[in-house]
Amino acid sequence: MALSFASSTRFSKTQSGVCYSVSFTPRVIVRCCETAKEPPRSKSKLQVGSPIIIVEAPKVIKTAASMPCLRANSGLVKPGDVGRIVSRKPKDLWAVRLSIGTYLLDGKYFKALELEE
């Protein structure tokens, strides 16, 4: 996570009868790194083809088509639905194939399905 704070500072300078207006923007960047006290993420065992189960229904869902469609989840994706991971996207976003289609879901809405043999 990175934060950026910026404020613009303006000042004028007169030299040889000509007035120059100069502005600059100082920046402060704060970076946050992970600490060793955080528990390991269970998402690391997820990969393409892994079975998953929905644990929380998202409020809105986005299709994983070439022209994605964002719509309110009106009971299409429910807790307990199972599917498979099709691909990984940035920021813990996954393309998941469910029985009703392929959707982009955040990793907090599902977990890996433990299959017993």
Side-chain angles (χ1 to χ4, degrees):
M1 179 174 89
L3 298 173
S4 177
F5 299 102
S7 65
S8 181
T9 304
R10 296 186 66 84
F11 62 90
S12 297
K13 179 180 176 184
T14 304
Q15 182 177 9
S16 303
V18 179
C19 182
Y20 296 96
S21 179
V22 180
S23 69
F24 67 94
T25 305
R27 295 203 177 267
V28 175
I29 298 176
V30 178
R31 296 192 183 223
C32 188
C33 59
E34 295 182 19
T35 63
K37 295 179 183 178
E38 292 182 14
R41 294 183 177 237
S42 62
K43 302 290 181 196
S44 61
K45 60 185 172 183
L46 291 175
Q47 55 186 333
V48 175
S50 296
I52 57 102
I53 185 165
I54 305 293
V55 293
E56 179 185 344
K59 293 180 183 175
V60 291
I61 52 177
K62 187 175 191 177
T63 61
S66 59
M67 285 288 290
C69 176
L70 184 66
R71 64 175 72 174
N73 184 13
S74 58
L76 293 172
V77 178
K78 303 175 284 299
D81 287 351
V82 294
R84 287 202 179 266
I85 293 178
V86 176
S87 68
R88 170 87 193 258
K89 306 293 182 184
K91 300 266 187 176
D92 200 29
L93 193 66
W94 303 81
V96 177
R97 175 75 181 155
L98 300 170
S99 61
I100 58 169
T102 304
Y103 293 94
L104 296 174
L105 297 176
D106 196 324
K108 66 182 177 183
Y109 295 116
F110 63 87
K111 66 176 184 177
L113 182 62
E114 303 295 329
L115 297 174
E116 295 178 9
E117 297 182 17

